[in-house]
Amino acid sequence: MIIKICGMRDADNIREVAALGIDWMGFDFRPDSPRYVQQIGSRAGIIPDYSSLKDNQVAASVKRVGVFADDMPQNIVTRVYNYQLDIVQLQGDERAVMIDNLRHTLEPDIRSGVKVMKVIRVHDAADLQQCQEFEPVVDYFLFDLSATDSDGSTKQTNWNLLENYKGQVPFLLGGALGAADVVRILAFRHPQFVGVNLNSCFESAPAVKDVALLQTTINQLRKKSTKSQPTKHQPTKPQPTKPQPTDNTESRSSDIDTSQLPWIAIRLSYLKQQQIDQFFKDNGLETFIPMQYDLVASKTGKPNRVLRPVVRNLLFVKKSLDDAQLYKLMEECPYSMFAIRKNRESRDLYEIPSRQMFEFRQMCNPEIELREYLSEEEAKLKPGAPVLVKFGPLKGMTGRLVRKSKKYYLLKEVPGMGVMLKISRWCCVPLEE
């Protein structure tokens, strides 16, 4: 049975719940929700572009579910990419056409293998007829059995209504399920029933779960003794040693990367960017691929904004291993690649300082307009003086102030490429070497 715990946000609570032997963990991206998970804003003042989850908060074996309701597709795509979501849960008035377009946007460039789950609120048998529209485009249904009584209290719909569901898409039960429902859950039978969604009935406060109560309930659902002690999930593959964050605060915007580790740039011999990116992640390394929106015509001819990699033969990897370990790891990958070195005569890898990479990633935010990407050669040919941005949304950043078509841009270079953002030259001061 799949056990999904939804509405998570607190860093310590996430770690504790992830250690209970659950299968899925849900994060609510609906702005009006008391469990809303915000992205981290950069200290440079740019539009938020980073996940507020640290790498070690969610066990590798726990799938991440993002909850959305009538959100813009580009917002969903951005969060799937930033939070590495495994499942998109849609619980608004989304239609099948929108879901199909979303899937084609996500697969395979953004998140290969991502699943979609549609929430259906079941108050009577007629509500289950909605499933027919969505069966071709979703992987799961979540049947919300909660209902509001005349006095405003929450009750549950008659579970026997689900006998009317004859579809082939598996479903989870949800909606005000609590510890008192364990016996009913274990007794429930349906050929497509695969799991349960637990949330508010196990909270001591919004987004804070009662770990002890969850542990008891999970043990009962797993048919384990309530005396057994929880054990933490172990990664399915050996993980290299990774630096741990210096604090557990998930909303801290000034410390995106507390490790201060440098990054390296890797050129790909084949267009297998998604596969190589996943290879490094499976081995415990953090990666980054610059993304941008492209206009792609749908089947009806209507242009859709699709998030795609800027270049397909380059990716960046945080250097949490030494050079010898990285060379060995690259040799083990089934796809050919090479890391950019300091020079041709040396095997020492070219290291991109943490701060430089931080600013580069901020400037690559796909939501920012008036931005241009350049090849490494084009960036080097651009004349411009080093500057520090003192005012405006890019405050605190450094780069070269360059001019193009009577407009000024802040140019940031890393091995393999460069990125430019439009800026007023009056916001910049010369950077003292």
Side-chain angles (χ1 to χ4, degrees), residues 65-92:
V65 183
V67 179
F68 305 89
D70 301 318
D71 208 338
M72 297 180 66
Q74 55 264 40
N75 290 339
I76 299 175
V77 170
T78 299
R79 282 157 179 78
V80 168
Y81 179 75
N82 287 347
Y83 288 81
Q84 293 296 286
L85 300 179
D86 301 290
I87 301 166
V88 173
Q89 177 177 319
L90 302 173
Q91 55 189 69

PDB file of all heavy atoms in Angstrom, residues 65-92:
ATOM      1  N   VAL A  65       5.779  14.750  -4.304  1.00  0.00           N
ATOM      2  CA  VAL A  65       4.525  15.081  -4.981  1.00  0.00           C
ATOM      3  C   VAL A  65       4.280  16.581  -4.830  1.00  0.00           C
ATOM      4  O   VAL A  65       4.328  17.119  -3.719  1.00  0.00           O
ATOM      5  CB  VAL A  65       3.340  14.301  -4.383  1.00  0.00           C
ATOM      6  CG1 VAL A  65       2.050  14.607  -5.157  1.00  0.00           C
ATOM      7  CG2 VAL A  65       3.628  12.804  -4.376  1.00  0.00           C
ATOM      8  N   GLY A  66       4.035  17.264  -5.935  1.00  0.00           N
ATOM      9  CA  GLY A  66       3.705  18.679  -5.902  1.00  0.00           C
ATOM     10  C   GLY A  66       2.213  18.886  -6.093  1.00  0.00           C
ATOM     11  O   GLY A  66       1.620  18.338  -7.032  1.00  0.00           O
ATOM     12  N   VAL A  67       1.589  19.663  -5.206  1.00  0.00           N
ATOM     13  CA  VAL A  67       0.143  19.886  -5.247  1.00  0.00           C
ATOM     14  C   VAL A  67      -0.138  21.245  -5.882  1.00  0.00           C
ATOM     15  O   VAL A  67       0.371  22.277  -5.423  1.00  0.00           O
ATOM     16  CB  VAL A  67      -0.457  19.828  -3.826  1.00  0.00           C
ATOM     17  CG1 VAL A  67      -1.964  20.085  -3.882  1.00  0.00           C
ATOM     18  CG2 VAL A  67      -0.160  18.483  -3.185  1.00  0.00           C
ATOM     19  N   PHE A  68      -0.975  21.244  -6.921  1.00  0.00           N
ATOM     20  CA  PHE A  68      -1.310  22.466  -7.653  1.00  0.00           C
ATOM     21  C   PHE A  68      -2.823  22.516  -7.889  1.00  0.00           C
ATOM     22  O   PHE A  68      -3.487  21.470  -7.926  1.00  0.00           O
ATOM     23  CB  PHE A  68      -0.601  22.512  -9.004  1.00  0.00           C
ATOM     24  CG  PHE A  68       0.891  22.371  -8.928  1.00  0.00           C
ATOM     25  CD1 PHE A  68       1.490  21.114  -8.969  1.00  0.00           C
ATOM     26  CD2 PHE A  68       1.707  23.485  -8.812  1.00  0.00           C
ATOM     27  CE1 PHE A  68       2.870  20.974  -8.902  1.00  0.00           C
ATOM     28  CE2 PHE A  68       3.086  23.365  -8.746  1.00  0.00           C
ATOM     29  CZ  PHE A  68       3.674  22.102  -8.785  1.00  0.00           C
ATOM     30  N   ALA A  69      -3.336  23.724  -8.066  1.00  0.00           N
ATOM     31  CA  ALA A  69      -4.759  23.884  -8.387  1.00  0.00           C
ATOM     32  C   ALA A  69      -4.916  25.054  -9.342  1.00  0.00           C
ATOM     33  O   ALA A  69      -4.678  26.218  -8.965  1.00  0.00           O
ATOM     34  CB  ALA A  69      -5.585  24.104  -7.119  1.00  0.00           C
ATOM     35  N   ASP A  70      -5.279  24.750 -10.579  1.00  0.00           N
ATOM     36  CA  ASP A  70      -5.537  25.774 -11.602  1.00  0.00           C
ATOM     37  C   ASP A  70      -4.361  26.737 -11.751  1.00  0.00           C
ATOM     38  O   ASP A  70      -4.546  27.942 -11.965  1.00  0.00           O
ATOM     39  CB  ASP A  70      -6.815  26.556 -11.268  1.00  0.00           C
ATOM     40  CG  ASP A  70      -8.028  25.654 -11.176  1.00  0.00           C
ATOM     41  OD1 ASP A  70      -8.151  24.763 -12.035  1.00  0.00           O
ATOM     42  OD2 ASP A  70      -8.841  25.821 -10.242  1.00  0.00           O
ATOM     43  N   ASP A  71      -3.155  26.214 -11.648  1.00  0.00           N
ATOM     44  CA  ASP A  71      -1.960  27.035 -11.773  1.00  0.00           C
ATOM     45  C   ASP A  71      -1.549  27.138 -13.230  1.00  0.00           C
ATOM     46  O   ASP A  71      -1.933  26.312 -14.070  1.00  0.00           O
ATOM     47  CB  ASP A  71      -0.812  26.426 -10.956  1.00  0.00           C
ATOM     48  CG  ASP A  71       0.189  27.465 -10.481  1.00  0.00           C
ATOM     49  OD1 ASP A  71       0.237  28.547 -11.101  1.00  0.00           O
ATOM     50  OD2 ASP A  71       0.903  27.205  -9.498  1.00  0.00           O
ATOM     51  N   MET A  72      -0.747  28.161 -13.534  1.00  0.00           N
ATOM     52  CA  MET A  72      -0.241  28.318 -14.893  1.00  0.00           C
ATOM     53  C   MET A  72       0.759  27.200 -15.187  1.00  0.00           C
ATOM     54  O   MET A  72       1.582  26.851 -14.320  1.00  0.00           O
ATOM     55  CB  MET A  72       0.420  29.677 -15.056  1.00  0.00           C
ATOM     56  CG  MET A  72      -0.530  30.850 -14.868  1.00  0.00           C
ATOM     57  SD  MET A  72       0.295  32.445 -15.076  1.00  0.00           S
ATOM     58  CE  MET A  72       0.704  32.370 -16.823  1.00  0.00           C
ATOM     59  N   PRO A  73       0.716  26.620 -16.379  1.00  0.00           N
ATOM     60  CA  PRO A  73       1.628  25.509 -16.695  1.00  0.00           C
ATOM     61  C   PRO A  73       3.090  25.838 -16.462  1.00  0.00           C
ATOM     62  O   PRO A  73       3.845  24.997 -15.979  1.00  0.00           O
ATOM     63  CB  PRO A  73       1.331  25.236 -18.174  1.00  0.00           C
ATOM     64  CG  PRO A  73      -0.079  25.673 -18.371  1.00  0.00           C
ATOM     65  CD  PRO A  73      -0.243  26.865 -17.475  1.00  0.00           C
ATOM     66  N   GLN A  74       3.515  27.084 -16.774  1.00  0.00           N
ATOM     67  CA  GLN A  74       4.923  27.411 -16.596  1.00  0.00           C
ATOM     68  C   GLN A  74       5.330  27.396 -15.119  1.00  0.00           C
ATOM     69  O   GLN A  74       6.470  27.075 -14.785  1.00  0.00           O
ATOM     70  CB  GLN A  74       5.280  28.762 -17.223  1.00  0.00           C
ATOM     71  CG  GLN A  74       4.441  29.939 -16.761  1.00  0.00           C
ATOM     72  CD  GLN A  74       3.311  30.230 -17.708  1.00  0.00           C
ATOM     73  OE1 GLN A  74       2.684  29.312 -18.227  1.00  0.00           O
ATOM     74  NE2 GLN A  74       3.043  31.509 -17.940  1.00  0.00           N
ATOM     75  N   ASN A  75       4.379  27.730 -14.218  1.00  0.00           N
ATOM     76  CA  ASN A  75       4.679  27.654 -12.785  1.00  0.00           C
ATOM     77  C   ASN A  75       4.849  26.202 -12.349  1.00  0.00           C
ATOM     78  O   ASN A  75       5.720  25.887 -11.525  1.00  0.00           O
ATOM     79  CB  ASN A  75       3.560  28.307 -11.974  1.00  0.00           C
ATOM     80  CG  ASN A  75       3.532  29.806 -12.132  1.00  0.00           C
ATOM     81  OD1 ASN A  75       4.537  30.419 -12.509  1.00  0.00           O
ATOM     82  ND2 ASN A  75       2.395  30.419 -11.861  1.00  0.00           N
ATOM     83  N   ILE A  76       4.014  25.329 -12.888  1.00  0.00           N
ATOM     84  CA  ILE A  76       4.134  23.904 -12.550  1.00  0.00           C
ATOM     85  C   ILE A  76       5.457  23.359 -13.067  1.00  0.00           C
ATOM     86  O   ILE A  76       6.184  22.658 -12.355  1.00  0.00           O
ATOM     87  CB  ILE A  76       2.948  23.111 -13.141  1.00  0.00           C
ATOM     88  CG1 ILE A  76       1.627  23.621 -12.564  1.00  0.00           C
ATOM     89  CG2 ILE A  76       3.121  21.613 -12.884  1.00  0.00           C
ATOM     90  CD1 ILE A  76       0.398  22.974 -13.173  1.00  0.00           C
ATOM     91  N   VAL A  77       5.794  23.694 -14.309  1.00  0.00           N
ATOM     92  CA  VAL A  77       7.045  23.224 -14.910  1.00  0.00           C
ATOM     93  C   VAL A  77       8.244  23.690 -14.094  1.00  0.00           C
ATOM     94  O   VAL A  77       9.171  22.915 -13.819  1.00  0.00           O
ATOM     95  CB  VAL A  77       7.155  23.704 -16.371  1.00  0.00           C
ATOM     96  CG1 VAL A  77       8.546  23.429 -16.923  1.00  0.00           C
ATOM     97  CG2 VAL A  77       6.100  23.022 -17.238  1.00  0.00           C
ATOM     98  N   THR A  78       8.232  24.960 -13.678  1.00  0.00           N
ATOM     99  CA  THR A  78       9.348  25.499 -12.907  1.00  0.00           C
ATOM    100  C   THR A  78       9.531  24.744 -11.605  1.00  0.00           C
ATOM    101  O   THR A  78      10.650  24.401 -11.211  1.00  0.00           O
ATOM    102  CB  THR A  78       9.126  26.997 -12.610  1.00  0.00           C
ATOM    103  OG1 THR A  78       9.052  27.703 -13.844  1.00  0.00           O
ATOM    104  CG2 THR A  78      10.254  27.561 -11.771  1.00  0.00           C
ATOM    105  N   ARG A  79       8.433  24.427 -10.921  1.00  0.00           N
ATOM    106  CA  ARG A  79       8.544  23.734  -9.642  1.00  0.00           C
ATOM    107  C   ARG A  79       8.889  22.262  -9.818  1.00  0.00           C
ATOM    108  O   ARG A  79       9.590  21.686  -8.987  1.00  0.00           O
ATOM    109  CB  ARG A  79       7.258  23.921  -8.838  1.00  0.00           C
ATOM    110  CG  ARG A  79       7.213  25.298  -8.197  1.00  0.00           C
ATOM    111  CD  ARG A  79       5.807  25.775  -7.879  1.00  0.00           C
ATOM    112  NE  ARG A  79       5.858  27.091  -7.247  1.00  0.00           N
ATOM    113  CZ  ARG A  79       6.043  28.242  -7.896  1.00  0.00           C
ATOM    114  NH1 ARG A  79       6.195  28.208  -9.213  1.00  0.00           N
ATOM    115  NH2 ARG A  79       6.085  29.379  -7.265  1.00  0.00           N
ATOM    116  N   VAL A  80       8.427  21.639 -10.870  1.00  0.00           N
ATOM    117  CA  VAL A  80       8.846  20.262 -11.158  1.00  0.00           C
ATOM    118  C   VAL A  80      10.363  20.223 -11.331  1.00  0.00           C
ATOM    119  O   VAL A  80      11.043  19.329 -10.809  1.00  0.00           O
ATOM    120  CB  VAL A  80       8.150  19.724 -12.420  1.00  0.00           C
ATOM    121  CG1 VAL A  80       8.796  18.412 -12.882  1.00  0.00           C
ATOM    122  CG2 VAL A  80       6.668  19.495 -12.152  1.00  0.00           C
ATOM    123  N   TYR A  81      10.883  21.210 -12.052  1.00  0.00           N
ATOM    124  CA  TYR A  81      12.330  21.254 -12.291  1.00  0.00           C
ATOM    125  C   TYR A  81      13.111  21.597 -11.023  1.00  0.00           C
ATOM    126  O   TYR A  81      14.070  20.927 -10.659  1.00  0.00           O
ATOM    127  CB  TYR A  81      12.630  22.275 -13.391  1.00  0.00           C
ATOM    128  CG  TYR A  81      14.096  22.423 -13.707  1.00  0.00           C
ATOM    129  CD1 TYR A  81      14.769  21.446 -14.440  1.00  0.00           C
ATOM    130  CD2 TYR A  81      14.813  23.527 -13.263  1.00  0.00           C
ATOM    131  CE1 TYR A  81      16.115  21.569 -14.719  1.00  0.00           C
ATOM    132  CE2 TYR A  81      16.160  23.661 -13.551  1.00  0.00           C
ATOM    133  CZ  TYR A  81      16.809  22.678 -14.282  1.00  0.00           C
ATOM    134  OH  TYR A  81      18.133  22.799 -14.556  1.00  0.00           O
ATOM    135  N   ASN A  82      12.683  22.649 -10.317  1.00  0.00           N
ATOM    136  CA  ASN A  82      13.422  23.103  -9.142  1.00  0.00           C
ATOM    137  C   ASN A  82      13.375  22.113  -7.986  1.00  0.00           C
ATOM    138  O   ASN A  82      14.364  21.923  -7.280  1.00  0.00           O
ATOM    139  CB  ASN A  82      12.883  24.453  -8.669  1.00  0.00           C
ATOM    140  CG  ASN A  82      13.288  25.589  -9.587  1.00  0.00           C
ATOM    141  OD1 ASN A  82      14.158  25.429 -10.430  1.00  0.00           O
ATOM    142  ND2 ASN A  82      12.657  26.733  -9.436  1.00  0.00           N
ATOM    143  N   TYR A  83      12.208  21.492  -7.771  1.00  0.00           N
ATOM    144  CA  TYR A  83      12.033  20.594  -6.636  1.00  0.00           C
ATOM    145  C   TYR A  83      12.204  19.118  -7.008  1.00  0.00           C
ATOM    146  O   TYR A  83      12.050  18.252  -6.166  1.00  0.00           O
ATOM    147  CB  TYR A  83      10.652  20.796  -6.000  1.00  0.00           C
ATOM    148  CG  TYR A  83      10.524  22.093  -5.231  1.00  0.00           C
ATOM    149  CD1 TYR A  83      10.274  23.287  -5.883  1.00  0.00           C
ATOM    150  CD2 TYR A  83      10.668  22.121  -3.851  1.00  0.00           C
ATOM    151  CE1 TYR A  83      10.162  24.480  -5.179  1.00  0.00           C
ATOM    152  CE2 TYR A  83      10.556  23.300  -3.141  1.00  0.00           C
ATOM    153  CZ  TYR A  83      10.299  24.479  -3.815  1.00  0.00           C
ATOM    154  OH  TYR A  83      10.195  25.650  -3.118  1.00  0.00           O
ATOM    155  N   GLN A  84      12.503  18.868  -8.289  1.00  0.00           N
ATOM    156  CA  GLN A  84      12.675  17.491  -8.761  1.00  0.00           C
ATOM    157  C   GLN A  84      11.473  16.624  -8.372  1.00  0.00           C
ATOM    158  O   GLN A  84      11.607  15.540  -7.791  1.00  0.00           O
ATOM    159  CB  GLN A  84      13.968  16.901  -8.208  1.00  0.00           C
ATOM    160  CG  GLN A  84      15.244  17.555  -8.754  1.00  0.00           C
ATOM    161  CD  GLN A  84      15.383  17.339 -10.274  1.00  0.00           C
ATOM    162  OE1 GLN A  84      15.693  16.245 -10.731  1.00  0.00           O
ATOM    163  NE2 GLN A  84      15.125  18.387 -11.035  1.00  0.00           N
ATOM    164  N   LEU A  85      10.289  17.117  -8.693  1.00  0.00           N
ATOM    165  CA  LEU A  85       9.058  16.412  -8.356  1.00  0.00           C
ATOM    166  C   LEU A  85       8.914  15.146  -9.192  1.00  0.00           C
ATOM    167  O   LEU A  85       9.208  15.132 -10.380  1.00  0.00           O
ATOM    168  CB  LEU A  85       7.847  17.319  -8.589  1.00  0.00           C
ATOM    169  CG  LEU A  85       7.806  18.623  -7.776  1.00  0.00           C
ATOM    170  CD1 LEU A  85       6.552  19.418  -8.140  1.00  0.00           C
ATOM    171  CD2 LEU A  85       7.848  18.335  -6.290  1.00  0.00           C
ATOM    172  N   ASP A  86       8.439  14.099  -8.544  1.00  0.00           N
ATOM    173  CA  ASP A  86       8.188  12.824  -9.223  1.00  0.00           C
ATOM    174  C   ASP A  86       6.747  12.724  -9.699  1.00  0.00           C
ATOM    175  O   ASP A  86       6.458  12.015 -10.670  1.00  0.00           O
ATOM    176  CB  ASP A  86       8.488  11.652  -8.287  1.00  0.00           C
ATOM    177  CG  ASP A  86       9.924  11.656  -7.798  1.00  0.00           C
ATOM    178  OD1 ASP A  86      10.815  11.395  -8.621  1.00  0.00           O
ATOM    179  OD2 ASP A  86      10.152  11.927  -6.606  1.00  0.00           O
ATOM    180  N   ILE A  87       5.845  13.418  -8.992  1.00  0.00           N
ATOM    181  CA  ILE A  87       4.415  13.330  -9.296  1.00  0.00           C
ATOM    182  C   ILE A  87       3.803  14.722  -9.205  1.00  0.00           C
ATOM    183  O   ILE A  87       4.088  15.472  -8.266  1.00  0.00           O
ATOM    184  CB  ILE A  87       3.693  12.381  -8.319  1.00  0.00           C
ATOM    185  CG1 ILE A  87       4.305  10.977  -8.378  1.00  0.00           C
ATOM    186  CG2 ILE A  87       2.200  12.322  -8.611  1.00  0.00           C
ATOM    187  CD1 ILE A  87       3.906  10.078  -7.239  1.00  0.00           C
ATOM    188  N   VAL A  88       2.974  15.074 -10.186  1.00  0.00           N
ATOM    189  CA  VAL A  88       2.229  16.331 -10.171  1.00  0.00           C
ATOM    190  C   VAL A  88       0.790  16.016  -9.797  1.00  0.00           C
ATOM    191  O   VAL A  88       0.114  15.245 -10.488  1.00  0.00           O
ATOM    192  CB  VAL A  88       2.279  17.028 -11.547  1.00  0.00           C
ATOM    193  CG1 VAL A  88       1.372  18.246 -11.561  1.00  0.00           C
ATOM    194  CG2 VAL A  88       3.709  17.426 -11.888  1.00  0.00           C
ATOM    195  N   GLN A  89       0.321  16.591  -8.687  1.00  0.00           N
ATOM    196  CA  GLN A  89      -1.054  16.386  -8.230  1.00  0.00           C
ATOM    197  C   GLN A  89      -1.879  17.615  -8.580  1.00  0.00           C
ATOM    198  O   GLN A  89      -1.574  18.726  -8.148  1.00  0.00           O
ATOM    199  CB  GLN A  89      -1.077  16.138  -6.720  1.00  0.00           C
ATOM    200  CG  GLN A  89      -2.484  15.993  -6.137  1.00  0.00           C
ATOM    201  CD  GLN A  89      -2.444  15.674  -4.662  1.00  0.00           C
ATOM    202  OE1 GLN A  89      -1.625  14.886  -4.198  1.00  0.00           O
ATOM    203  NE2 GLN A  89      -3.342  16.297  -3.890  1.00  0.00           N
ATOM    204  N   LEU A  90      -2.918  17.426  -9.362  1.00  0.00           N
ATOM    205  CA  LEU A  90      -3.765  18.524  -9.825  1.00  0.00           C
ATOM    206  C   LEU A  90      -5.134  18.407  -9.177  1.00  0.00           C
ATOM    207  O   LEU A  90      -5.832  17.410  -9.362  1.00  0.00           O
ATOM    208  CB  LEU A  90      -3.898  18.481 -11.351  1.00  0.00           C
ATOM    209  CG  LEU A  90      -2.569  18.561 -12.128  1.00  0.00           C
ATOM    210  CD1 LEU A  90      -2.818  18.329 -13.610  1.00  0.00           C
ATOM    211  CD2 LEU A  90      -1.883  19.896 -11.897  1.00  0.00           C
ATOM    212  N   GLN A  91      -5.532  19.436  -8.419  1.00  0.00           N
ATOM    213  CA  GLN A  91      -6.821  19.331  -7.729  1.00  0.00           C
ATOM    214  C   GLN A  91      -7.684  20.575  -7.913  1.00  0.00           C
ATOM    215  O   GLN A  91      -8.454  20.938  -7.031  1.00  0.00           O
ATOM    216  CB  GLN A  91      -6.621  19.033  -6.248  1.00  0.00           C
ATOM    217  CG  GLN A  91      -5.745  19.969  -5.465  1.00  0.00           C
ATOM    218  CD  GLN A  91      -5.486  19.400  -4.074  1.00  0.00           C
ATOM    219  OE1 GLN A  91      -4.790  18.403  -3.917  1.00  0.00           O
ATOM    220  NE2 GLN A  91      -6.085  20.029  -3.065  1.00  0.00           N
ATOM    221  N   GLY A  92      -7.554  21.175  -9.097  1.00  0.00           N
ATOM    222  CA  GLY A  92      -8.433  22.284  -9.452  1.00  0.00           C
ATOM    223  C   GLY A  92      -9.412  21.847 -10.526  1.00  0.00           C
ATOM    224  O   GLY A  92      -9.878  20.702 -10.546  1.00  0.00           O
TER     225      GLY A  92
END
